[in-house]
Amino acid sequence: MNKEVTVYTTNTCPYCVMVKNFLDEQGIEFKEVNVQEDQAAGDKLVETTGQMGVPQIEINGEWVLGFDPETLSELLEK
């Protein structure tokens, strides 16, 4: 089953790069939303999760805040 994965990032976030590299290494396709360039998406993200920090990763409706390979792997294996 394909996972729907979205990574919310900014231009200056080293952990965002780490998350994207991690997903690439796992062969996981993902959509990137840069909330620095898309203010509306940033506002919606804060409304949805109550968090302003990035990266935030949504995997099939479940959220991970920050670079957390263990939790990412768990959700990707579900």
Side-chain angles (χ1 to χ4, degrees), residues 12-60:
T12 55
C13 161
Y15 289 105
C16 298
V17 174
M18 291 167 73
V19 166
K20 293 186 287 185
N21 288 343
F22 174 80
L23 292 171
D24 283 338
E25 287 164 11
Q26 305 295 315
I28 304 294
E29 287 185 26
F30 61 91
K31 175 181 167 195
E32 179 177 358
V33 177
N34 185 319
V35 297
Q36 191 171 332
E37 295 170 3
D38 184 345
Q39 188 61 51
D43 293 344
K44 186 170 187 287
L45 185 64
V46 173
E47 272 176 40
T48 303
T49 67
Q51 300 284 341
M52 289 183 67
V54 288
Q56 291 190 53
I57 306 93
E58 183 181 14
I59 301 173
N60 286 359

Side-chain angles (χ1 to χ4, degrees), residues 1-7 19 22-30 57-60 62 64 68-78:
M1 180 182 140
N2 281 353
K3 301 283 184 207
E4 190 146 323
V5 181
T6 306
V7 181
V19 166
F22 174 80
L23 292 171
D24 283 338
E25 287 164 11
Q26 305 295 315
I28 304 294
E29 287 185 26
F30 61 91
I57 306 93
E58 183 181 14
I59 301 173
N60 286 359
E62 297 196 50
V64 180
D68 182 348
E70 200 170 291
T71 302
L72 288 170
S73 293
E74 276 175 32
L75 291 176
L76 290 167
E77 288 168 12
K78 272 190 178 180

